[in-house]
Amino acid sequence: MEGSLAGRRAVITGGASGIGAACARALAGRGAGVVVADRDAEGAAGLARELEGESWAVDLLDTAALEDLTLDADILVNNAGIQTVSPIQDFRPEDFRRIQKLMVEVPFLLIRAALPGMYGRGFGRIINISSVHGLRASPFKSAYVTAKHALEGLSKVTALEGGEHGVTSNCVNPGYVRTPLVENQLADQARLHGISEDEVLSKILLTESAIKRLVEPEEVASLVAWLAGDDAGMVTGSSYVMDGGWSAR
């Protein structure tokens, strides 16, 4: 696999940390030139230097700035995400809207910006970091579950439109990954349920999983890197679950 992405340009949103940083490292390790896109300008620049790539300091919630964007990318990894945990009746509408903007509207706008170039070159890989919550629901996560289900639909439509142009579109659906986003959820869920964070991990987050551990970011990145390569040229419109058996039930 080493060098299999030589000459390809990969843009990774939320690329400065967590899954995004692991994806940037995996893609760069296979020869791709990476663009680390993140609102954390310092973190993005630091990782870009490490990988001899580029950084893109961007506030993706400023969607108006993305509407006329032209995105030069052979590989687009839509990874940026946020989470709010709350019962529906207490869920603030502005929080719900912000999650839909970042996790549905932004991927749409970036795909829209990247497709003309991909079509022109006859090659493209859209890889959407979805979640097991794109296929299953959990209480207290109405906005996140809604957004991930919408991302699944967007990915499939992109696959159908892009197929004749050499562009594939797929979702990667991890369970709970060892990232700051999940670590913050432990505290939120502990507060909601009145239990310890250790109990949240074993009794709530991993209760449906056959493998009782968090997914590592590097495991997600390994699948992303494969989907980005030529060997996955016939893989499109699919959702690849990496959840330790949760959705097998």
Side-chain angles (χ1 to χ4, degrees):
M1 289 291 291
E2 194 168 324
S4 64
L5 298 179
R8 304 297 190 193
R9 178 181 170 90
V11 176
I12 306 102
T13 67
S17 65
I19 294 172
C23 290
R25 289 190 172 97
L27 293 169
R30 287 161 175 77
V34 298
V35 179
V36 182
D38 206 291
R39 65 179 180 179
D40 176 5
E42 184 177 345
L47 182 58
R49 283 193 299 271
E50 173 192 327
L51 302 177
E52 299 182 352
E54 304 170 41
S55 63
W56 178 20
V58 58
D59 179 4
L60 293 173
L61 286 171
D62 181 10
T63 51
L66 303 177
E67 291 183 4
D68 296 319
L69 178 70
T70 297
L71 189 62
D72 180 15
D74 301 295
I75 302 159
L76 171 62
V77 181
N78 284 311
N79 167 70
I82 52 178
Q83 177 65 283
T84 297
V85 179
S86 176
I88 292 173
Q89 68 271 21
D90 299 327
F91 215 106
R92 298 192 307 168
E94 59 267 33
D95 290 337
F96 189 93
R97 286 191 291 266
R98 183 168 61 253
I99 287 175
Q100 307 316 305
K101 177 179 280 193
L102 182 61
M103 295 165 54
V104 182
E105 184 179 352
V106 167
F108 159 74
L109 290 170
L110 295 180
I111 291 169
R112 179 176 180 267
L115 283 181
M118 291 179 173
Y119 286 179
R121 292 184 293 273
F123 178 92
R125 296 288 187 266
I126 307 293
I127 304 169
N128 301 298
I129 305 302
S130 181
S131 166
V132 66
H133 282 118
L135 307 172
R136 298 287 189 272
S138 290
F140 308 122
K141 298 180 181 178
S142 57
Y144 189 89
V145 171
T146 298
K148 291 302 189 184
H149 273 68
L151 184 62
E152 295 282 327
L154 173 62
S155 184
K156 288 179 172 63
V157 173
T158 305
L160 295 177
E161 293 187 12
E164 65 182 290
H165 303 286
V167 176
T168 67
S169 177
N170 294 284
C171 287
V172 175
N173 301 66
Y176 291 103
V177 184
R178 193 183 304 280
T179 64
L181 188 68
V182 168
E183 288 167 355
N184 290 337
Q185 282 187 61
L186 292 175
D188 288 342
Q189 292 274 13
R191 174 179 48 81
L192 279 168
H193 294 280
I195 58 179
S196 71
E197 292 186 17
D198 286 344
E199 288 177 299
V200 170
L201 188 61
S202 63
K203 295 182 179 179
I204 297 177
L205 268 61
L206 300 180
T207 185
E208 299 293 341
S209 178
I211 301 174
K212 301 297 185 183
R213 68 169 176 85
L214 296 174
V215 183
E216 298 298 332
E218 292 75 19
E219 292 176 308
V220 180
S222 69
L223 180 51
V224 169
W226 178 75
L227 287 170
D230 290 338
D231 287 347
M234 277 297 288
V235 178
T236 196
S238 296
S239 299
Y240 278 78
V241 181
M242 184 181 287
D243 66 357
W246 177 358
S247 56
R249 296 180 185 275

